[in-house]
Amino acid sequence: MIQINEVNLQTNWQKELANVVTDPQELLNILGLHDQFDARDFAAKRLFPMRVPRPFIAKMRHGDRHDPLLLQVLPVHQEYLTEAGFSKDPLEEQDAPVPGLLHKYRSRVLLMLKTGCAVNCRYCFRRHFPYQDNQVNKRSLEPVFEYLRAHPEINEVILSGGDPLMAKDNMIAWVLEQLEAIPQIKRLRIHSRLPVVIPARVTEELCQRLAQSHLKVILVNHINHANEIDDTFKAAMQRLKQANVTLLNQAVLLKGINNDVATQAQLSEALFDADILPYYLHLLDKVEGASHFDVEEREAKAIMAELLEVLPGFLVPKLVREIGGQPSKTPIDLGLLG
């Protein structure tokens, strides 16, 4: 039976989803920046809609046009730039064997449980993905489970999207039940940005169901800057930790946001304070519309080499690039700084 406080948590996160800011001018007005940007920037929301939850806006610095959280979500005119090497499908994943399912790695599959996100990050590598062709429901998920049963080499399912935590708790519980009935499935990994942009999404009902599963459950957060981590988010992570969920983080190296040693070190320290281990630091996936966020590999390697000097090894994420068609992520060799 769901307790009153659990009902409130569920209601709260759904209300926050319904109350996201979609107008760039409204966002700037909230932050006291109504006259700090050119209106021509806002036309880029036609390329990729703007969505920003208010709990995430509350973490932004009022009056600071260079706020690192703001720059991740605000449409800008540079999104219209066409750069060589940038494409609409940089990871070559718009050809699923079953709708909603990606089988890029031998032992792991990625299931796009939901095709929407609470927040639209402007550097998103799936900003052009044909989500309309990959929407799933209980009926359409049956071929996914049949595919898993027919491929005994698959032992891990990654829930992604969009954002899988856009699904309601009862839907996640149903998916868990189906996966738990497939003998070779050992792990469930959830890739989500929702806990950091709407911490109320981590409900007691969700935590209880995850705790009951015999699967090893891993939550991979997506946090790019230490300012995204506050006490409310830390409390949500503690609820998951008490449910025996392993907590990891992956970030993207973004020009003008976190491409310096001090910012990366602060992020790793803030993550560990929240009981989260840094996992991956991704070089930008070269998606059309995001070239202004790109950091050269040489610069990235120099940052990582220095980061190894200022942090213990367990707080240094792996620097990786994802290359379309490759059977795994590609680690960047820090020994080759030339």
Side-chain angles (χ1 to χ4, degrees), residues 164-234:
L165 291 186
M166 293 281 279
K168 295 180 181 179
D169 288 342
N170 58 359
M171 180 62 173
I172 293 174
W174 180 83
V175 171
L176 262 172
E177 183 180 349
Q178 310 313 305
L179 295 177
E180 288 163 348
I182 301 174
Q184 81 269 17
I185 303 299
K186 297 168 53 179
R187 291 184 298 275
L188 176 69
R189 204 188 322 168
I190 302 170
H191 285 202
S192 181
R193 191 137 164 79
L194 242 167
V196 77
V197 299
I198 303 179
R201 176 62 192 93
V202 182
T203 64
E204 290 298 329
E205 183 181 13
L206 174 65
C207 293
Q208 288 172 11
R209 182 59 184 88
L210 296 178
Q212 291 166 4
S213 181
H214 70 263
L215 302 178
K216 295 289 187 181
V217 181
I218 304 103
L219 173 71
V220 181
N221 288 283
H222 178 178
I223 302 169
N224 297 316
H225 197 281
N227 290 3
E228 300 177 37
I229 298 171
D230 62 8
D231 288 342
T232 305
F233 171 73
K234 288 181 180 179

Side-chain angles (χ1 to χ4, degrees), residues 232-266:
T232 305
F233 171 73
K234 288 181 180 179
M237 291 301 99
Q238 287 305 305
R239 291 196 290 275
L240 287 167
K241 184 181 179 183
Q242 291 166 11
N244 297 318
V245 174
T246 299
L247 303 174
L248 303 175
N249 185 67
Q250 59 181 353
V252 181
L253 192 61
L254 300 166
K255 185 176 181 179
I257 292 172
N258 61 10
N259 60 319
D260 64 87
V261 173
T263 302
Q264 286 294 327
Q266 290 163 8

Side-chain angles (χ1 to χ4, degrees), residues 53-264:
R54 294 177 189 271
F56 194 65
I57 297 172
K59 302 176 188 183
M60 298 177 186
R61 295 190 291 250
H62 193 272
D64 182 1
R65 62 169 292 147
H66 301 293
D67 179 81
L69 280 59
L70 171 66
L71 296 180
Q72 294 180 54
V73 299
L74 185 70
V76 293
H77 68 274
Q78 287 94 334
E79 295 179 40
Y80 283 97
L81 295 175
T82 301
E83 298 284 348
F86 286 75
S87 71
K88 286 183 167 63
D89 185 18
L91 303 189
E92 301 176 13
E93 61 180 22
Q94 295 183 16
D95 185 21
V98 177
L101 189 73
L102 297 176
H103 190 181
K104 296 193 292 185
Y105 309 133
R106 184 179 185 277
S107 64
R108 309 178 297 289
V109 294
L110 186 147
L111 172 59
M112 292 187 179
L113 186 59
K114 297 295 287 187
T115 56
C117 288
V119 61
N120 281 352
C121 303
R122 307 311 298 178
Y123 52 86
C124 179
F125 68 91
R126 291 195 183 120
R127 56 184 285 162
H128 305 288
F129 191 82
Y131 284 119
Q132 69 278 4
D133 299 328
N134 285 274
Q135 296 182 29
V136 298
N137 53 37
K138 287 184 178 181
R139 177 178 296 179
S140 65
L141 279 173
E142 184 50 41
V144 169
F145 302 130
E146 289 179 4
Y147 185 90
L148 295 178
R149 287 188 285 267
H151 289 77
E153 74 276 14
I154 298 170
N155 62 20
E156 180 174 335
V157 173
I158 302 168
L159 298 185
S160 184
D163 194 311
L165 291 186
M166 293 281 279
K168 295 180 181 179
D169 288 342
N170 58 359
M171 180 62 173
I172 293 174
W174 180 83
V175 171
L176 262 172
E177 183 180 349
Q178 310 313 305
L179 295 177
E180 288 163 348
I182 301 174
Q184 81 269 17
I185 303 299
K186 297 168 53 179
R187 291 184 298 275
L188 176 69
R189 204 188 322 168
I190 302 170
H191 285 202
S192 181
R193 191 137 164 79
L194 242 167
V196 77
V197 299
I198 303 179
R201 176 62 192 93
V202 182
T203 64
E204 290 298 329
E205 183 181 13
L206 174 65
C207 293
Q208 288 172 11
R209 182 59 184 88
L210 296 178
Q212 291 166 4
S213 181
H214 70 263
L215 302 178
K216 295 289 187 181
V217 181
I218 304 103
L219 173 71
V220 181
N221 288 283
H222 178 178
I223 302 169
N224 297 316
H225 197 281
N227 290 3
E228 300 177 37
I229 298 171
D230 62 8
D231 288 342
T232 305
F233 171 73
K234 288 181 180 179
M237 291 301 99
Q238 287 305 305
R239 291 196 290 275
L240 287 167
K241 184 181 179 183
Q242 291 166 11
N244 297 318
V245 174
T246 299
L247 303 174
L248 303 175
N249 185 67
Q250 59 181 353
V252 181
L253 192 61
L254 300 166
K255 185 176 181 179
I257 292 172
N258 61 10
N259 60 319
D260 64 87
V261 173
T263 302
Q264 286 294 327

Side-chain angles (χ1 to χ4, degrees), residues 235-303:
M237 291 301 99
Q238 287 305 305
R239 291 196 290 275
L240 287 167
K241 184 181 179 183
Q242 291 166 11
N244 297 318
V245 174
T246 299
L247 303 174
L248 303 175
N249 185 67
Q250 59 181 353
V252 181
L253 192 61
L254 300 166
K255 185 176 181 179
I257 292 172
N258 61 10
N259 60 319
D260 64 87
V261 173
T263 302
Q264 286 294 327
Q266 290 163 8
L267 172 59
S268 285
E269 293 285 3
L271 287 168
F272 197 63
D273 285 346
D275 288 318
I276 302 167
L277 276 176
Y279 177 36
Y280 281 137
L281 178 61
H282 290 264
L283 293 177
L284 182 75
D285 294 317
K286 293 184 178 295
V287 64
E288 186 178 296
S291 60
H292 55 292
F293 289 114
D294 196 28
V295 176
E296 292 291 333
E297 184 174 309
R298 178 184 176 87
E299 179 186 348
K301 291 195 291 188
I303 291 170

